[in-house]
Amino acid sequence: MTILVTGARGTVAQAVVAGLHSAGVPVRAASARPAELTVPAGVDTAELGLDRPETFAPALRGVRRVFLYPEPAGIEEFVRAAEAAGVEHVVLLSSSMVTRPGAEDDPLARQSLTVERALAASGLAWTFLRPDAFTVNALAWAHALTRSLPVQLPFPDAQVASIHPHDIADVAVAALTGDSLTGRAVTLTGPESLAFREQLAVIAEVTGRPVTVQEISRAEAEQQMAAHMPAGYVASLLDLWEAACDGPAALADTTATLLGRPARTFRQWAEENSDAFAPAPEQPEPEPKPMPIGYWLRRADKALTDAMDALLAGHGLTRLGWQVLNVVADDAPVTDARVLEVMAVHADAPTLTAVVEKALAAGWLTRPAPGQLALTGDGRTRLAEVLARVGAFRERAAAGVSPEEYRTTMRVLERLTANAESAGAESVTP
């Protein structure tokens, strides 16, 4: 009985693969990029993109049980392929968000809910694992803590019962190798409710270094988070954290209630991952000295990337948004599906869809026909401006093989960055 583990580069999936392998169960680790997998010796690997139905049949060959990541893009096709392959049981890594009011309209819940419903309507036996907050979410604070900076939080007293990813994996392994959880939707939490402020205090004790918590407004948090995720996700998370300030988080099932073994605590996770919060080594900038041209070009490329990000931000674009405009510009009009296909290596489908919708709202893209995308005049102007500026800086970088020229280039890039962050980079020329 081979068990297929999808999304096998993820933290939970890696632990599931390891748990099954240790138990002597034949396991196949699958990923959209199987070459990047790290698996125990003897574990089979396969290419499987959950939004690419052509990869389903080969990965499912000989499989009877599946650990499934909640990707809705190809779920209907996946269900049909699993049934055709003789799969008997699917264990889904879902989310506790599906149990909250308004889950259908919540972007964080909708993804898992869509997959749950497809599996429930199928002929496959299923188990839905619905973990709450993950302990690994605390890694979001590592950047500040390794640099001895304050951790900025909009709701530092929000209570969560974070669950260790290995606890989720242990329950998943039990569900995949037995029948006690078949047909059940199980909400999973850690064994204790802690506020974000309390979690940071635990990290301070474990690392022996002080931690400063700086409370910021919701508006400030929205601005910071918008650089990394779509607005709908930001609003959903902030609503969740704000509601969590009302009292201790509810505890649900754990490995103690389901498997009869103690649940791992947040402190245990922090001790296991204390290196992630260690001080960043000081690396003073060395004095520039004569180096091969390749060295200066690599340095200039990094500066160009930073400058491009700032320039795009001045126009309300991310680098991903700029890449979407490039795809559309190559062959206009193109279909939404073509954009998703070409950009699949850069982001998941929901994120790309959000980028496209933002570009449509900004007037850079238009729909000449249903399902088609084309650049508007304003979109072409924005794209051309970014290309022109980047090209000019590349020319300067290629010529700047001396430390003096490199310093000049950097000064111009710094001016561009500062200007773009405050206005729109209109007054800065290469």
Side-chain angles (χ1 to χ4, degrees):
M1 176 189 72
T2 298
I3 296 178
L4 178 69
V5 177
T6 71
R9 290 184 300 120
T11 302
V12 175
Q14 286 181 5
V16 172
V17 169
L20 291 170
H21 181 66
S22 296
V25 178
V27 57
R28 180 176 300 153
S31 169
R33 298 191 290 277
E36 299 177 14
L37 288 174
T38 301
V39 298
V43 169
D44 187 22
T45 62
E47 180 180 5
L48 174 63
L50 288 170
D51 57 349
R52 291 159 49 208
E54 69 275 11
T55 65
F56 295 167
L60 287 166
R61 191 172 295 118
V63 167
R64 291 295 171 264
R65 298 196 173 198
V66 176
F67 179 74
L68 184 63
Y69 183 81
E71 170 54 65
I75 186 57
E76 300 294 343
E77 294 89 344
F78 184 84
V79 165
R80 288 194 291 270
E83 290 174 334
V87 170
E88 299 165 354
H89 185 191
V90 175
V91 176
L92 175 69
L93 180 62
S94 185
S95 166
S96 66
M97 294 290 290
V98 303
T99 65
R100 299 181 183 276
E104 289 187 353
D105 300 318
D106 189 301
L108 289 175
R110 190 165 50 239
Q111 175 172 321
S112 294
L113 188 60
T114 299
V115 178
E116 281 197 8
R117 288 176 172 174
L119 290 173
S122 74
L124 301 168
W126 50 262
T127 300
F128 300 153
L129 303 183
R130 296 169 171 172
D132 206 56
F134 286 28
T135 53
V136 295
N137 293 348
L139 291 175
W141 303 327
H143 179 82
L145 295 180
T146 56
R147 292 159 178 78
S148 299
L149 299 174
V151 176
Q152 297 183 324
L153 295 172
F155 303 108
D157 296 307
Q159 296 264 343
V160 291
S162 298
I163 183 169
H164 196 297
H166 286 189
D167 278 359
I168 303 172
D170 286 348
V171 175
V173 168
L176 289 163
T177 56
D179 299 316
S180 63
L181 295 177
T182 301
R184 292 182 59 183
V186 185
T187 299
L188 301 172
T189 68
E192 59 187 343
S193 175
L194 292 174
F196 290 146
R197 193 189 302 275
E198 293 172 318
Q199 287 187 338
L200 283 162
V202 170
I203 292 173
E205 292 175 10
V206 167
T207 60
R209 301 173 62 235
V211 172
T212 301
V213 178
Q214 180 182 353
E215 186 168 358
I216 59 175
S217 69
R218 177 172 178 134
E220 290 172 314
E222 287 175 345
Q223 186 175 16
Q224 290 181 9
M225 296 166 69
H228 309 291
M229 64 182 72
Y233 287 20
V234 171
S236 180
L237 273 176
L238 291 174
D239 288 345
L240 182 67
W241 294 340
E242 186 171 13
C245 293
D246 293 339
L251 303 185
D253 277 311
T254 67
T255 54
T257 60
L258 295 175
L259 306 179
R261 68 184 71 155
R264 297 171 175 89
T265 64
F266 181 82
R267 178 178 292 274
Q268 182 174 345
W269 176 87
E271 290 171 347
E272 294 167 353
N273 294 274
S274 60
D275 288 350
F277 304 102
E282 293 187 9
Q283 296 180 339
E285 185 71 19
E287 273 296 309
K289 57 183 179 181
M291 297 288 283
I293 185 171
Y295 170 83
W296 296 112
L297 289 177
R298 286 192 297 273
R299 294 289 301 274
D301 275 346
K302 173 63 171 64
L304 284 167
T305 299
D306 295 341
M308 187 191 301
D309 284 343
L311 173 62
L312 293 169
H315 295 305
L317 272 174
T318 62
R319 205 181 320 163
L320 179 59
W322 178 62
Q323 291 166 334
V324 168
L325 295 188
N326 267 296
V327 172
V328 176
D330 286 343
D331 182 21
V334 299
T335 63
D336 293 55
R338 178 59 178 163
V339 172
L340 291 174
E341 176 187 350
V342 174
M343 297 297 297
V345 297
H346 297 289
D348 55 27
T351 301
L352 280 173
T353 300
V355 169
V356 170
E357 292 301 322
K358 183 173 181 179
L360 285 165
W364 299 322
L365 292 179
T366 185
R367 291 197 184 279
Q372 287 189 332
L373 294 168
L375 279 178
T376 63
D378 192 25
R380 291 189 181 281
T381 299
R382 300 298 186 192
L383 186 60
E385 179 176 318
V386 173
L387 288 171
R389 288 181 181 274
V390 170
F393 278 113
R394 286 193 184 279
E395 290 178 6
R396 174 178 287 275
V401 297
S402 69
E404 293 74 19
E405 183 64 18
Y406 178 72
R407 289 194 188 96
T408 302
T409 303
M410 290 300 296
R411 281 197 295 271
V412 175
L413 290 171
E414 287 167 1
R415 288 174 55 211
L416 171 64
T417 301
N419 189 284
E421 288 175 342
S422 62
E426 296 302 331
S427 64
V428 179
T429 57

